[in-house]
Amino acid sequence: MNRSIYRLGALRPIAAAVLACCSASVFAQAAESTLPAVVVKGSRSVAEENLLPVTTESITAAQAAQVINGMNVEDTIKYAPSVLVRKRFIGDTNAPMATRTTGINASARSLVYADGILLSALINNNNGNGSPQWFMVAPEEIERVDIMYGPFSAMYAGNSYGAVTVIKTRMPTEFEGSVKASVATENFNLYSTSTRLPAGEVNVNLGNRSGDLSWWFSANHLDSFSQPITFGSVTQSTTAASGSSPVINGAIAAQSRTGGAIQLVGAGSATHTLQDIAKIKLAYDFSPLVTGAYTLGFWQNNQVATAQSYLRTASGTPYYGGSSGNVNIGGNSYSASSIGSQFSSNTVQQQHWMQSLSLNAKKQGAWDWEAVATNFFYSQDLTRTSTGLYPAAQLSGTGRISDAGGTGWSTLDMKGTWHEEGLAPSHTVSFGGHLDQYKLVNPTYNTTDWMNGANGSLYSDSRGKTSTEALWAQDAWRWSPSVVATIGGRFEWWRAYDGYNFATASSGTTYAINQPEVTASGFSPKLSLAWQASDLWSVTASFGKALRFPTVGELYQNISTGSTYTQANPYLRPEKVLSGELAFERNTADSKLRISLFEEHVRDALISQTSTITGTTTPTAFTQNVDATRQRGIEIAGQHDDVLVKGLQLSGSVTWVDAVITENSSYVATTPGATSVGKRVPYVPQLRATVVATYRPDDQWAGTLAGRFSRRMYATVDNTDTNTSTYQGFDGYFVIDTRIQYKVDRHWTASVGIDNLTNKQYFLYHAFPQRTLYADLKYTF
């Protein structure tokens, strides 16, 4: 069915009517309001402000500064229950968020917002270009972060079934500012790589409020070096080397993640990162009840990644392979070209812009209204990669240029809330409309000079768009002073269109395909019942259905195997999620405890798996609908102040989850007898825990000792990746962190800390940071 009316700003009549009513009422309130403003002190979570029936964990900026060694905003949620942000190094731009039921390769199964601006890059569902744009927020500008678990609010799209992370940044009430300098250093030793990795960051904030106008300016500069992100290897040879083959030393015998024998030949993607953020936020009170706000953010990133060879010739010079011939490694014969393909360099040049325009009208009577329009745009996004042989390829030679410039997304949200008036109000009804559009542009060109050359012939291309329209409503219905039922639903219309793929096979043959337009729609009901059982205990039972529509990247991917090209699969079905949670909470003046029992069933789960393309014998990885998965478990989270001694606070969480594939008719075995049914869902560990102890003897000192634990994960649907402690494997780990903060006076604050105190070496596909020392100094005025 052709639905060409789906464009940003063109809604179905019912959606347009709701949004028009919201807009009209907002401006009517701005014109008629004469009541004095009411200033509410304190900062409530998003769930509290919107009466959302969801389990929420929060952390304020002050708490994060005391307990967390951080140089990027995603570090703020390092110890949140059931959460893992796969951040490989300081300044990593590929840092997806995993939750209690979703893995680190499933970025589109959670949502990240900053002041209403969507930071989630729902152009893909992976741990690469689908990762949230965390870097658009500097750590020093945040006020608090809320994490809401599960798809139990009609206000959010089905991508919320993992979690919704909402970052709230500061706006001043008077003139204020701060300057903060941070440094870090890591000593990394693994295989034949031994190096020191420094990082430094400077952040400046200024803000003021004068009459009806308030403004905030933030600037941040980061300079960091990473450990190797990849390791090159060749399969262990069983062919004896000839006497004429050159002898090469330095290879390291190891095993792949499936247990196969390999020889490690070098390390790759050691990255030097330079990043800058500049942001300005303006807010103006048009009346005591109506406020408008505008945000403009700019981020640029320049990275250089290089490779290191472990191999040496008989004379001791580095060896990087060759274009032909064989070499002798340990008495066996290896192809020089296979070794040569393991080494490459790349540069990244990125400039991203984000904008937000909002209008908020709050009335002391029955109605509140809010409208938010946002845009995220990649004005430049170039990755240049060498394809020639090292060492010459380090500086010049053939390569490819991947250009994601023009990629971006726009959103529009309007929300209204009606509060029943009276001495004992029974209903709070909220409703709204949503519109979004995502655009992926990603051609790759051949070039004769990978560092500075112009685009040559087209090598591959992936393009497409998706858009979603939604209407939602929910009613928080107070049955009695101790019981509240929240009933809601969300209806969504989704479309994928303008899909295009171009690919070049190894034979040089090219393939171009215009993909068909596809549509889907559906209704997602929500139900929650909260009971305040006593002054201390509350019980909440929640149920929600969610539809998670495929991203552009999942729909329009190129698959090329040898001389055969198979078109992308634009017919992926939406994930259909049924989720439930039963939460028991106990709150006292100095403690809180939550026990959550949860279960989640996903039909048509979109998981990258391995199968065989018709006409080939080589397994190929691609995204496909897995018939059914089931995740069930228990999460315990708590905090207690003044434990044993005054000033000692203990907090922590433990999450156990049984996540299995229950049906998978599309699975093709990669090894004899393998199966995916009954196996663990990829990237979801069975057990994860955190514990944090912070001692505050007075208002000046705070010392923290924290631990992070996870059992191993699997990366394949058939769980055949049995070897964890290797590149591409997923280790279990226990990591200890420590931090000390000292407030010298009202202006100066100094902190020092260590992450990975015991220098644990572990892999989460990539080798993760080893012991890292942090120090920062902040001046506030």
Side-chain angles (χ1 to χ4, degrees), residues 47-93:
E48 291 170 328
E49 290 177 349
N50 294 279
L51 298 176
L52 301 182
V54 291
T55 294
T56 303
E57 295 288 339
S58 304
I59 185 169
T60 66
Q63 292 169 335
Q66 287 187 341
V67 304
I68 295 171
N69 300 315
M71 297 179 73
N72 303 121
V73 73
E74 61 269 27
D75 297 324
T76 307
I77 58 176
K78 184 185 298 184
Y79 304 125
S82 304
V83 168
L84 170 66
V85 176
R86 191 215 65 166
K87 177 186 170 185
R88 301 167 298 176
F89 57 89
I90 295 171
D92 189 5
T93 59

CSV table of all heavy atoms in Angstrom, one decimal, residues 47-93:
chain,number,residue,atom,x,y,z
A,47,ALA,N,9.8,10.0,35.7
A,47,ALA,CA,8.6,9.2,36.1
A,47,ALA,C,7.7,9.8,37.1
A,47,ALA,O,6.5,9.8,37.0
A,47,ALA,CB,9.1,7.8,36.6
A,48,GLU,N,8.3,10.5,38.1
A,48,GLU,CA,7.5,11.2,39.1
A,48,GLU,C,6.7,12.4,38.5
A,48,GLU,O,5.5,12.6,38.7
A,48,GLU,CB,8.3,11.7,40.2
A,48,GLU,CG,8.9,10.6,41.1
A,48,GLU,CD,10.0,11.1,42.0
A,48,GLU,OE1,10.7,12.0,41.7
A,48,GLU,OE2,10.1,10.5,43.1
A,49,GLU,N,7.4,13.1,37.6
A,49,GLU,CA,6.7,14.3,37.0
A,49,GLU,C,5.6,13.9,36.1
A,49,GLU,O,4.6,14.6,36.0
A,49,GLU,CB,7.8,15.1,36.2
A,49,GLU,CG,8.8,15.8,37.1
A,49,GLU,CD,9.9,16.5,36.2
A,49,GLU,OE1,9.9,16.3,35.0
A,49,GLU,OE2,10.6,17.3,36.8
A,50,ASN,N,5.7,12.8,35.4
A,50,ASN,CA,4.7,12.4,34.5
A,50,ASN,C,3.8,11.2,34.9
A,50,ASN,O,3.0,10.7,34.2
A,50,ASN,CB,5.4,12.0,33.1
A,50,ASN,CG,6.1,13.1,32.5
A,50,ASN,OD1,5.4,13.9,31.8
A,50,ASN,ND2,7.4,13.2,32.6
A,51,LEU,N,3.9,10.9,36.2
A,51,LEU,CA,3.1,9.8,36.8
A,51,LEU,C,3.3,8.5,36.0
A,51,LEU,O,2.3,7.8,35.6
A,51,LEU,CB,1.7,10.2,36.9
A,51,LEU,CG,1.4,11.4,37.8
A,51,LEU,CD1,-0.1,11.7,37.8
A,51,LEU,CD2,1.8,11.1,39.3
A,52,LEU,N,4.5,8.1,35.6
A,52,LEU,CA,4.7,7.0,34.8
A,52,LEU,C,4.9,5.7,35.6
A,52,LEU,O,5.6,5.7,36.6
A,52,LEU,CB,6.0,7.2,33.9
A,52,LEU,CG,6.0,8.4,33.0
A,52,LEU,CD1,7.3,8.4,32.2
A,52,LEU,CD2,4.8,8.4,32.1
A,53,PRO,N,4.2,4.6,35.3
A,53,PRO,CA,4.2,3.4,36.1
A,53,PRO,C,5.4,2.5,35.8
A,53,PRO,O,5.2,1.4,35.3
A,53,PRO,CB,2.9,2.7,35.7
A,53,PRO,CG,2.7,3.1,34.2
A,53,PRO,CD,3.3,4.5,34.1
A,54,VAL,N,6.6,3.1,36.0
A,54,VAL,CA,7.8,2.3,35.6
A,54,VAL,C,8.8,2.3,36.8
A,54,VAL,O,8.9,3.3,37.5
A,54,VAL,CB,8.5,2.9,34.3
A,54,VAL,CG1,7.6,2.7,33.1
A,54,VAL,CG2,8.7,4.4,34.5
A,55,THR,N,9.5,1.2,36.9
A,55,THR,CA,10.6,1.2,37.8
A,55,THR,C,11.7,2.2,37.4
A,55,THR,O,12.1,2.1,36.2
A,55,THR,CB,11.2,-0.2,37.9
A,55,THR,OG1,10.2,-1.1,38.5
A,55,THR,CG2,12.4,-0.3,38.8
A,56,THR,N,12.2,3.0,38.3
A,56,THR,CA,13.1,4.1,37.9
A,56,THR,C,14.3,4.1,38.9
A,56,THR,O,14.1,4.0,40.1
A,56,THR,CB,12.4,5.5,37.9
A,56,THR,OG1,11.3,5.4,37.1
A,56,THR,CG2,13.4,6.5,37.5
A,57,GLU,N,15.5,4.2,38.3
A,57,GLU,CA,16.7,4.4,39.1
A,57,GLU,C,17.3,5.8,38.7
A,57,GLU,O,17.3,6.1,37.5
A,57,GLU,CB,17.7,3.3,38.9
A,57,GLU,CG,17.3,1.9,39.4
A,57,GLU,CD,17.2,1.9,40.9
A,57,GLU,OE1,18.0,2.7,41.6
A,57,GLU,OE2,16.6,1.0,41.5
A,58,SER,N,17.8,6.6,39.6
A,58,SER,CA,18.2,7.9,39.3
A,58,SER,C,19.6,8.2,40.0
A,58,SER,O,19.9,7.6,41.0
A,58,SER,CB,17.2,8.9,39.8
A,58,SER,OG,15.9,8.7,39.2
A,59,ILE,N,20.3,9.1,39.4
A,59,ILE,CA,21.5,9.6,40.0
A,59,ILE,C,21.7,11.1,39.7
A,59,ILE,O,21.4,11.5,38.6
A,59,ILE,CB,22.8,8.8,39.6
A,59,ILE,CG1,24.0,9.3,40.3
A,59,ILE,CG2,22.9,8.9,38.1
A,59,ILE,CD1,25.2,8.4,40.1
A,60,THR,N,22.0,11.9,40.7
A,60,THR,CA,22.2,13.3,40.5
A,60,THR,C,23.6,13.6,40.1
A,60,THR,O,24.6,12.8,40.3
A,60,THR,CB,21.8,14.1,41.7
A,60,THR,OG1,22.8,13.8,42.8
A,60,THR,CG2,20.4,13.8,42.2
A,61,ALA,N,23.9,14.8,39.6
A,61,ALA,CA,25.2,15.2,39.2
A,61,ALA,C,26.2,15.2,40.4
A,61,ALA,O,27.3,14.8,40.3
A,61,ALA,CB,25.2,16.6,38.6
A,62,ALA,N,25.7,15.7,41.6
A,62,ALA,CA,26.5,15.7,42.8
A,62,ALA,C,26.9,14.3,43.2
A,62,ALA,O,28.0,14.0,43.6
A,62,ALA,CB,25.7,16.4,43.9
A,63,GLN,N,25.9,13.3,43.2
A,63,GLN,CA,26.3,12.0,43.5
A,63,GLN,C,27.3,11.4,42.6
A,63,GLN,O,28.3,10.7,43.0
A,63,GLN,CB,25.0,11.1,43.5
A,63,GLN,CG,24.0,11.5,44.6
A,63,GLN,CD,22.6,10.8,44.4
A,63,GLN,OE1,22.3,10.5,43.2
A,63,GLN,NE2,21.9,10.6,45.4
A,64,ALA,N,27.1,11.6,41.3
A,64,ALA,CA,28.0,11.1,40.3
A,64,ALA,C,29.4,11.6,40.5
A,64,ALA,O,30.4,10.9,40.4
A,64,ALA,CB,27.5,11.4,38.9
A,65,ALA,N,29.6,12.9,40.8
A,65,ALA,CA,30.9,13.5,41.0
A,65,ALA,C,31.6,12.9,42.1
A,65,ALA,O,32.9,12.8,42.1
A,65,ALA,CB,30.7,15.0,41.2
A,66,GLN,N,30.9,12.5,43.2
A,66,GLN,CA,31.5,11.9,44.3
A,66,GLN,C,32.0,10.5,44.1
A,66,GLN,O,33.1,10.1,44.6
A,66,GLN,CB,30.6,11.9,45.5
A,66,GLN,CG,30.4,13.3,46.1
A,66,GLN,CD,29.6,13.3,47.4
A,66,GLN,OE1,28.9,12.3,47.7
A,66,GLN,NE2,29.7,14.4,48.2
A,67,VAL,N,31.3,9.7,43.4
A,67,VAL,CA,31.5,8.2,43.4
A,67,VAL,C,32.0,7.7,42.0
A,67,VAL,O,32.5,6.5,42.0
A,67,VAL,CB,30.2,7.4,43.7
A,67,VAL,CG1,29.7,7.9,45.0
A,67,VAL,CG2,29.1,7.6,42.6
A,68,ILE,N,32.0,8.4,40.9
A,68,ILE,CA,32.3,7.9,39.6
A,68,ILE,C,33.5,8.6,39.0
A,68,ILE,O,33.5,9.8,38.9
A,68,ILE,CB,31.1,8.0,38.7
A,68,ILE,CG1,29.9,7.1,39.2
A,68,ILE,CG2,31.4,7.6,37.3
A,68,ILE,CD1,28.6,7.3,38.5
A,69,ASN,N,34.5,7.8,38.5
A,69,ASN,CA,35.6,8.3,37.7
A,69,ASN,C,35.0,8.4,36.3
A,69,ASN,O,34.8,7.4,35.6
A,69,ASN,CB,36.8,7.3,37.7
A,69,ASN,CG,37.3,7.2,39.1
A,69,ASN,OD1,37.5,8.1,39.9
A,69,ASN,ND2,37.6,5.9,39.5
A,70,GLY,N,34.8,9.6,35.8
A,70,GLY,CA,34.2,9.7,34.5
A,70,GLY,C,34.7,10.9,33.7
A,70,GLY,O,35.0,12.0,34.3
A,71,MET,N,34.8,10.7,32.4
A,71,MET,CA,35.2,11.8,31.5
A,71,MET,C,34.2,12.0,30.4
A,71,MET,O,34.3,12.9,29.6
A,71,MET,CB,36.6,11.6,31.0
A,71,MET,CG,37.7,11.7,32.1
A,71,MET,SD,39.3,11.4,31.4
A,71,MET,CE,39.7,13.0,30.6
A,72,ASN,N,33.2,11.0,30.3
A,72,ASN,CA,32.1,11.1,29.3
A,72,ASN,C,30.8,10.9,30.0
A,72,ASN,O,30.8,10.3,31.1
A,72,ASN,CB,32.3,10.0,28.3
A,72,ASN,CG,33.6,10.1,27.5
A,72,ASN,OD1,34.4,9.1,27.6
A,72,ASN,ND2,33.9,11.2,26.9
A,73,VAL,N,29.7,11.5,29.5
A,73,VAL,CA,28.5,11.5,30.2
A,73,VAL,C,27.9,10.1,30.5
A,73,VAL,O,27.3,9.9,31.5
A,73,VAL,CB,27.5,12.4,29.5
A,73,VAL,CG1,27.0,11.6,28.2
A,73,VAL,CG2,26.3,12.7,30.3
A,74,GLU,N,28.2,9.1,29.6
A,74,GLU,CA,27.7,7.8,29.8
A,74,GLU,C,28.3,7.1,31.1
A,74,GLU,O,27.8,6.1,31.6
A,74,GLU,CB,27.9,6.9,28.6
A,74,GLU,CG,29.3,6.7,28.2
A,74,GLU,CD,29.9,7.7,27.2
A,74,GLU,OE1,29.3,8.8,27.2
A,74,GLU,OE2,30.8,7.4,26.4
A,75,ASP,N,29.4,7.6,31.5
A,75,ASP,CA,30.0,7.1,32.8
A,75,ASP,C,29.1,7.3,34.0
A,75,ASP,O,29.2,6.6,35.0
A,75,ASP,CB,31.4,7.8,33.1
A,75,ASP,CG,32.4,7.5,32.0
A,75,ASP,OD1,32.4,6.4,31.4
A,75,ASP,OD2,33.2,8.4,31.7
A,76,THR,N,28.2,8.3,33.9
A,76,THR,CA,27.3,8.6,35.0
A,76,THR,C,26.5,7.4,35.4
A,76,THR,O,26.1,7.3,36.6
A,76,THR,CB,26.4,9.8,34.6
A,76,THR,OG1,27.2,10.8,34.1
A,76,THR,CG2,25.6,10.2,35.8
A,77,ILE,N,26.1,6.5,34.5
A,77,ILE,CA,25.3,5.3,34.8
A,77,ILE,C,26.1,4.0,35.0
A,77,ILE,O,25.5,2.9,34.9
A,77,ILE,CB,24.1,5.2,33.8
A,77,ILE,CG1,24.7,5.0,32.4
A,77,ILE,CG2,23.2,6.4,33.8
A,77,ILE,CD1,23.6,4.7,31.3
A,78,LYS,N,27.4,4.2,35.3
A,78,LYS,CA,28.2,3.0,35.4
A,78,LYS,C,27.8,2.0,36.4
A,78,LYS,O,27.9,0.8,36.2
A,78,LYS,CB,29.6,3.5,35.8
A,78,LYS,CG,30.7,2.4,35.8
A,78,LYS,CD,32.0,3.0,36.3
A,78,LYS,CE,32.6,4.0,35.4
A,78,LYS,NZ,33.9,4.5,35.8
A,79,TYR,N,27.2,2.4,37.5
A,79,TYR,CA,26.8,1.5,38.6
A,79,TYR,C,25.2,1.3,38.7
A,79,TYR,O,24.7,0.8,39.7
A,79,TYR,CB,27.3,2.0,39.9
A,79,TYR,CG,28.8,2.2,39.9
A,79,TYR,CD1,29.4,3.4,40.3
A,79,TYR,CD2,29.7,1.2,39.6
A,79,TYR,CE1,30.7,3.6,40.3
A,79,TYR,CE2,31.0,1.4,39.6
A,79,TYR,CZ,31.6,2.6,39.9
A,79,TYR,OH,32.9,2.8,39.9
A,80,ALA,N,24.5,1.8,37.7
A,80,ALA,CA,23.1,1.6,37.7
A,80,ALA,C,22.7,0.1,37.6
A,80,ALA,O,23.4,-0.7,36.9
A,80,ALA,CB,22.4,2.4,36.5
A,81,PRO,N,21.6,-0.3,38.2
A,81,PRO,CA,21.2,-1.7,38.2
A,81,PRO,C,21.0,-2.2,36.7
A,81,PRO,O,20.3,-1.6,35.9
A,81,PRO,CB,19.9,-1.8,39.0
A,81,PRO,CG,20.0,-0.6,39.9
A,81,PRO,CD,20.7,0.5,39.1
A,82,SER,N,21.6,-3.4,36.4
A,82,SER,CA,21.4,-4.1,35.2
A,82,SER,C,21.8,-3.4,33.9
A,82,SER,O,21.5,-3.8,32.8
A,82,SER,CB,19.9,-4.4,35.0
A,82,SER,OG,19.4,-5.2,36.1
A,83,VAL,N,22.6,-2.3,34.1
A,83,VAL,CA,23.0,-1.5,32.9
A,83,VAL,C,24.5,-1.7,32.7
A,83,VAL,O,25.3,-1.8,33.6
A,83,VAL,CB,22.7,0.0,33.2
A,83,VAL,CG1,23.4,0.9,32.2
A,83,VAL,CG2,21.2,0.2,33.2
A,84,LEU,N,24.8,-1.8,31.4
A,84,LEU,CA,26.2,-1.9,30.9
A,84,LEU,C,26.3,-1.0,29.7
A,84,LEU,O,25.6,-1.3,28.7
A,84,LEU,CB,26.7,-3.3,30.6
A,84,LEU,CG,28.0,-3.4,29.9
A,84,LEU,CD1,29.2,-2.8,30.8
A,84,LEU,CD2,28.3,-4.8,29.4
A,85,VAL,N,27.1,0.0,29.7
A,85,VAL,CA,27.4,0.8,28.5
A,85,VAL,C,28.8,0.2,28.0
A,85,VAL,O,29.8,0.3,28.7
A,85,VAL,CB,27.5,2.3,28.8
A,85,VAL,CG1,27.9,3.0,27.5
A,85,VAL,CG2,26.1,2.8,29.2
A,86,ARG,N,28.8,-0.3,26.8
A,86,ARG,CA,30.0,-0.9,26.2
A,86,ARG,C,30.9,0.2,25.7
A,86,ARG,O,31.0,0.5,24.6
A,86,ARG,CB,29.7,-1.9,25.1
A,86,ARG,CG,30.9,-2.7,24.7
A,86,ARG,CD,30.9,-3.0,23.2
A,86,ARG,NE,31.1,-1.8,22.4
A,86,ARG,CZ,31.4,-1.8,21.1
A,86,ARG,NH1,31.6,-2.9,20.5
A,86,ARG,NH2,31.5,-0.7,20.4
A,87,LYS,N,31.6,0.8,26.7
A,87,LYS,CA,32.5,1.9,26.4
A,87,LYS,C,34.0,1.3,26.4
A,87,LYS,O,34.5,0.9,27.4
A,87,LYS,CB,32.4,3.0,27.4
A,87,LYS,CG,33.4,4.2,27.2
A,87,LYS,CD,33.3,5.2,28.3
A,87,LYS,CE,34.4,6.2,28.3
A,87,LYS,NZ,34.4,7.1,29.4
A,88,ARG,N,34.6,1.3,25.2
A,88,ARG,CA,35.9,0.6,25.1
A,88,ARG,C,37.1,1.5,25.5
A,88,ARG,O,38.1,1.0,25.9
A,88,ARG,CB,36.1,0.1,23.7
A,88,ARG,CG,35.0,-0.8,23.2
A,88,ARG,CD,35.0,-1.0,21.7
A,88,ARG,NE,34.8,0.2,21.0
A,88,ARG,CZ,34.8,0.3,19.7
A,88,ARG,NH1,35.1,-0.7,18.9
A,88,ARG,NH2,34.6,1.5,19.1
A,89,PHE,N,36.9,2.8,25.4
A,89,PHE,CA,38.0,3.7,25.8
A,89,PHE,C,37.4,5.1,26.0
A,89,PHE,O,36.2,5.4,25.6
A,89,PHE,CB,39.1,3.7,24.7
A,89,PHE,CG,38.6,4.1,23.3
A,89,PHE,CD1,38.6,5.4,22.9
A,89,PHE,CD2,38.2,3.1,22.4
A,89,PHE,CE1,38.1,5.8,21.6
A,89,PHE,CE2,37.8,3.5,21.1
A,89,PHE,CZ,37.7,4.8,20.7
A,90,ILE,N,38.1,6.0,26.6
A,90,ILE,CA,37.7,7.4,26.8
A,90,ILE,C,37.5,8.1,25.5
A,90,ILE,O,38.4,8.2,24.6
A,90,ILE,CB,38.7,8.1,27.7
A,90,ILE,CG1,38.8,7.5,29.0
A,90,ILE,CG2,38.3,9.6,27.8
A,90,ILE,CD1,39.9,8.0,29.9
A,91,GLY,N,36.2,8.5,25.2
A,91,GLY,CA,35.9,9.1,23.9
A,91,GLY,C,35.4,8.2,22.9
A,91,GLY,O,35.2,8.6,21.7
A,92,ASP,N,35.1,7.0,23.3
A,92,ASP,CA,34.5,6.0,22.3
A,92,ASP,C,33.2,6.5,21.8
A,92,ASP,O,32.3,6.8,22.6
A,92,ASP,CB,34.3,4.6,23.0
A,92,ASP,CG,34.0,3.5,22.1
A,92,ASP,OD1,34.0,3.7,20.9
A,92,ASP,OD2,33.7,2.4,22.6
A,93,THR,N,33.0,6.5,20.5
A,93,THR,CA,31.7,6.9,19.9
A,93,THR,C,30.8,5.7,19.6
A,93,THR,O,29.7,6.0,19.2
A,93,THR,CB,32.0,7.6,18.5
A,93,THR,OG1,32.7,6.7,17.6
A,93,THR,CG2,32.8,8.9,18.7
